[in-house]
Amino acid sequence: MIKAFFSYSTQDAAFVREVASEIGRAFAKIDYRAFSAGEHLLETIDETIRESAAFVLFLSKSALASSWVRHELREARFQHAMGRIKNVLVVRMDPTISPEDLPDWLNRTKHITTISAKPAARKIRTLIDDLVRQGQSPRFVGRAAEIAALQDVYSAPVPGAESQVACVVGLSGIGRRATLTKMVRESLDLESLLVVNVEPGDSVQALAAKLSALVDPSETPDESLQRTREITALGDEEALRHALSRLQAICQYHQMPVLNDEGGLLDNDGDIAPYILDLVEALGQYPDVVTALLTNRRPAPERFIARSMRPTAVVHLQPLGDSDINRLVGLMAKARQVALDPSTVKKITTAVRGYPPSVTYELLTRS
């Protein structure tokens, strides 16, 4: 199991524990006081760092003053140089701390500035997921045409032709998120998607509240409830600005915010919810925001050009071709150490009918 070591000052313990609860304690060693006490304490800490694939420093002035943190940083630097620690992240909790206050090697690692547990936890989880993927056989096949189409949307070679939003259409499980993730990682220098469900009955106030819960600083349950009530009471224009500012914050955390249709993004006629149209139209005021819409229902193209809006591209993911399914079957069979003869591969490909999730079922039933 991939583990992360959390280095922090005890004065920041409450925040660190909140982050740990968000990502799952099984992935984190976060409290040296939980280690065996006595003269072997430092040895135990060193051993734990040595066994961790990721090292996370929660940076504050109190952390810089901590002798424990300084010791952990020395050990982490050595293990990182030896290649045992693969990923290092600095969670900067105090933006007034300058790079000169840090060892040079930490300034060459990834940084995030936040006082909210959820963005920090998502960033750490991305580091862990990256390490998990590095240890697995690749299972992404095909989709070259769809990735190229998405690249054309967000980074068109003709100035002014690019867009800030695309609508990705396809059946659930067909690979919409995986395709979009691959594109944003390779072409937009973003690390992951942050998916927000748009449900029946949602309004711009509801969307703003959902986005706020993802990026705003952690609070007590009572304070969180009060904040939701305040957002719900906003007028449409103010709630729209609130939602847009949170989309901007998500992008600043190197993630792409994605609105996923759970019945509220558009109706069966392809009509997009008016407040979503307002959001798309207002994106021009936030040029650093890139986003996407996910749906299994194709939107009516004319809805995107209402009110003089620039047309938004629709990228449709079709079922995979037989050659791609063959490759996927081979990769997944190898990962599961399942031997397949050509006739069985052909039968699986025929049964799957271009739908990737069915490959797992077919392999399980035939192995």
Side-chain angles (χ1 to χ4, degrees):
M1 181 177 292
I2 302 297
K3 290 186 180 292
F5 186 97
F6 288 6
S7 179
Y8 66 101
S9 164
T10 54
Q11 294 184 35
D12 304 317
F15 177 76
V16 173
R17 288 194 177 93
E18 186 177 357
V19 172
S21 68
E22 288 284 340
I23 67 170
R25 285 292 295 271
F27 294 97
K29 289 289 187 182
I30 70 166
D31 197 342
Y32 59 76
R33 290 172 299 180
F35 301 152
S36 56
E39 60 183 17
H40 300 299
L41 178 57
L42 290 179
E43 294 179 9
T44 305
I45 292 174
D46 293 349
E47 181 180 355
T48 304
I49 294 175
R50 186 166 56 250
E51 293 174 351
S52 300
F55 181 87
V56 182
L57 169 63
F58 288 84
L59 182 59
S60 65
K61 286 187 171 65
S62 58
L64 288 175
S66 169
S67 58
W68 290 105
V69 170
R70 287 196 296 270
H71 175 84
E72 291 161 359
L73 288 176
R74 286 192 295 269
E75 181 64 21
R77 181 184 183 183
F78 175 75
Q79 299 301 337
H80 186 245
M82 294 294 293
R84 296 191 180 102
I85 290 179
K86 307 297 184 182
N87 284 340
V88 177
L89 173 67
V90 176
V91 179
R92 189 185 299 268
M93 303 164 62
D94 185 344
T96 66
I97 297 176
S98 67
E100 290 75 21
D101 295 325
L102 290 174
D104 288 342
W105 74 279
L106 280 179
N107 285 319
R108 296 189 293 270
T109 63
K110 295 180 179 179
H111 287 235
I112 181 176
T113 301
T114 183
I115 56 172
S116 177
K118 289 181 183 296
R122 289 197 301 268
K123 186 78 170 183
I124 296 166
R125 195 73 194 206
T126 297
L127 293 183
I128 294 171
D129 290 345
D130 284 345
L131 292 170
V132 171
R133 275 190 291 268
Q134 291 171 21
Q136 294 177 336
S137 299
R139 299 189 183 100
F140 187 95
V141 299
R143 300 302 186 201
E146 292 90 342
I147 289 174
L150 287 167
Q151 289 170 333
D152 287 344
V153 173
Y154 295 103
S155 54
V158 179
E162 70 278 356
S163 179
Q164 293 173 254
V165 58
C167 186
V168 184
V169 181
L171 296 174
S172 297
I174 201 71
R176 297 169 301 172
R177 298 189 190 190
T179 301
L180 189 58
T181 298
K182 186 173 179 64
M183 190 280 300
V184 302
R185 282 172 171 264
E186 296 179 355
S187 303
L188 300 183
D189 295 326
L190 300 174
E191 296 176 355
S192 60
L193 308 182
L194 180 55
V195 179
V196 180
N197 291 331
V198 182
E199 300 165 295
D202 274 358
S203 61
V204 65
Q205 289 83 1
L207 179 61
K210 290 179 181 181
L211 293 169
S212 180
L214 293 171
V215 298
D216 287 335
S218 55
E219 300 162 337
T220 66
D222 287 343
E223 290 173 333
S224 179
L225 179 60
Q226 179 61 29
R227 181 183 62 194
T228 300
R229 289 170 176 166
E230 291 172 354
I231 296 174
T232 303
L234 294 175
D236 289 352
E237 290 188 8
E238 193 173 358
L240 180 62
R241 288 194 298 271
H242 189 94
L244 287 162
S245 68
R246 271 53 186 179
L247 292 177
Q248 186 177 48
I250 291 168
C251 291
Q252 290 170 349
Y253 292 135
H254 302 289
Q255 295 179 296
M256 172 185 273
V258 175
L259 304 184
N260 181 51
D261 186 11
E262 289 288 339
L265 191 67
L266 52 119
D267 61 25
N268 291 330
D269 294 326
D271 289 332
I272 301 167
Y275 74 93
I276 298 295
L277 285 176
D278 292 337
L279 186 77
V280 173
E281 185 178 20
L283 284 176
Q285 304 169 34
Y286 297 80
D288 53 343
V289 173
V290 288
T291 185
L293 312 177
L294 296 185
T295 181
N296 57 14
R297 297 172 291 179
R298 193 179 186 92
E302 63 273 12
R303 307 304 179 187
F304 282 115
I305 60 177
R307 298 171 292 177
S308 301
M309 290 169 56
R310 183 165 53 193
T312 295
V314 176
V315 177
H316 199 138
L317 268 66
Q318 303 288 350
L320 285 174
D322 286 353
S323 60
D324 287 328
I325 290 295
N326 282 340
R327 295 187 189 98
L328 184 58
V329 171
L331 289 169
M332 295 185 68
K334 182 178 180 180
R336 288 171 168 75
Q337 298 182 334
V338 176
L340 298 176
D341 57 62
S343 63
T344 302
V345 173
K346 185 175 181 180
K347 289 178 182 178
I348 293 176
T349 300
T350 301
V352 166
R353 295 181 179 273
Y355 188 62
S358 297
V359 173
T360 301
Y361 172 79
E362 291 293 329
L363 283 175
L364 290 174
T365 57
R366 296 170 187 271
S367 60

